[in-house]
Every structure is written in C-alpha cells, then in structure tokens.
C-alpha cells in the first residue's frame, strides 16, 4: 500500500508552492479577461455583502435588545431562505420578461423596504414577514446575478468568475460582520 507523503518533506513543500503559484497565475490571467460589466458587478457585490454583513450583525443584536429571542433571528433567516428558494425557481421567466436591470433594482428596493420595516416595527411577526420580503429580494438578486455573470463572460473564464464572485461575497460579508460587531461594541 502506498504511504502518504511527509508534509515536512522539502519536495512536497516545493510542489505545493508551485501548485499554489500556478493556480494564482491562472486566476490572475482569467481575472484580466473579465468583462467590464463582470468587474463592476464584483465590486458592487463586495460592497453590498459588506453592508449586509454589518446590517445583519447589528440587526441580530438589536432583536435581542428589543427583548425577542434568538429564534426570531433564526425564523427571519429561515423565511428569507424559503422565499429566496421559491423566487429563484421563478427567476428564469422573470428575467426573460423584465430583464436583469429591473429585477436587480426591484431586489434592492425589496431589501431596503424589508430592513426598514423590520427596524420600524420591532415585533416578532413583522420581523418574520419582512424577513420573507428580504428573501424575495435575495432570491431575485442571486438568480439574476448568476445569469448576468454568465451572459457577461466567456465559457473559459466562468469557473474563475463564479469562484471570485463567491470569495468576494463571503469575504465581504465576513468583514462586514466584524465591522458590525465593532459598531455595536464601540
């Protein structure tokens, strides 16, 4: 039976470094070919997810400060997920009828109305109902964005573009969550 390579072996370390550098160059090369629309979307997606990270962290803290249990935050996120899933299934015909721009603007409006509604009516029922509206915006935004990125990229770069999009959204949301926690603690 073959034995596992020793992670401390200098040859294993050198091969690992070369593989990481090769992948980094591959991603840099692919990123240099991203369209202007794809690049603009990545920047805006990063800003949006950083803002959402801040907002969701602060929101969860204030729900608790309003005297509601953590289950209200979980319920709100659950209704968001269900609504986003249903809307994502309906997105293809919606995109073909209304187009990306209108749907993305509508999604942003749904986000804004939902989050302002949750802040204006701090009751469990309102938080859950507006959580569903947030899910509508989230489902539209995710589905429309995926289709938009597909249309604004070449087949050879899509894997890299979607990976960069995911990393951008995750890192920005993480950074926003830390910033949101700092805002409330400060």
């Amino acid at each position: 039976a073959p034995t596992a390579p020793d992670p401390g072996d200098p040859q294993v370390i050198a091969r690992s470094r070369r593989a990481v550098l090769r992948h980094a160059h591959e991603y840099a090369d692919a990123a240099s070919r991203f369209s202007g629309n794809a690049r603009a979307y990545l920047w805006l997606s990063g800003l949006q997810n950083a803002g959402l990270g801040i907002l969701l962290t602060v929101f969860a803290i204030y729900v608790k400060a309003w005297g509601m249990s953590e289950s209200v935050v979980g319920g709100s996120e659950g209704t968001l997920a269900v609504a986003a899933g249903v809307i994502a299934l309906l997105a293809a015909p919606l995109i073909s009828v209304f187009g990306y721009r209108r749907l993305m603007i509508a999604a942003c409006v749904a986000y804004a109305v939902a989050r302002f509604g949750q802040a204006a009516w701090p009751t469990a029922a309102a938080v859950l109902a507006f959580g569903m509206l947030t899910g509508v915006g989230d489902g539209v935004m995710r589905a429309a964005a995926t289709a938009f990125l597909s249309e604004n990229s070449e087949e050879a770069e899509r894997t890299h573009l979607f990976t960069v999009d995911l990393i951008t959204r995750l890192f920005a949301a993480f950074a926003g969550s830390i910033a949101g926690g700092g805002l409330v603690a400060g």
Side-chain angles (χ1 to χ4, degrees):
T3 60
D6 177 15
D9 182 358
Q11 290 180 341
V12 171
I13 293 170
R15 272 194 312 256
S16 297
R17 283 185 183 147
R18 285 191 303 272
V20 167
L21 287 174
R22 188 172 50 251
H23 283 294
H25 289 297
E26 182 182 316
Y27 270 88
D29 183 50
S32 71
R33 292 190 312 268
F34 290 168
S35 71
N37 283 341
R39 288 174 195 266
Y41 171 81
L42 290 172
W43 278 105
L44 293 173
S45 177
L47 289 172
Q48 176 192 21
N49 281 279
L52 284 172
I54 292 169
L55 183 66
L56 292 175
T57 301
V58 171
F59 169 71
I61 293 168
Y62 279 106
V63 164
K64 187 71 175 156
W66 289 329
M68 293 181 238
S69 73
E70 294 87 358
S71 67
V72 174
V73 174
S76 175
E77 294 303 309
T79 59
L80 182 158
V82 169
V86 170
I87 291 297
L89 292 172
L90 303 172
L94 291 172
I95 291 168
S96 66
V97 171
F98 298 106
Y100 303 115
R101 183 172 185 211
R102 286 183 185 152
L103 286 177
M104 288 178 159
I105 290 170
C108 290
V109 170
Y111 275 134
V113 168
R115 293 307 181 180
F116 282 121
Q118 286 176 324
W121 292 283
T123 65
V127 167
L128 294 175
F130 284 115
M132 189 171 293
L133 182 58
T134 303
V136 169
D138 188 57
V140 167
M141 186 61 79
R142 288 181 191 275
T146 300
F148 175 82
L149 287 175
S150 291
E151 228 176 72
N152 283 279
S153 62
E154 299 296 324
E155 187 175 339
E157 65 192 22
R158 284 194 189 121
T159 299
H160 297 95
L161 179 58
F162 285 115
T163 302
V164 170
D165 176 45
L166 176 63
I167 291 168
T168 299
R169 286 186 286 120
L170 291 174
F171 180 76
F174 173 72
S177 294
I178 290 174
L183 288 172
V184 175

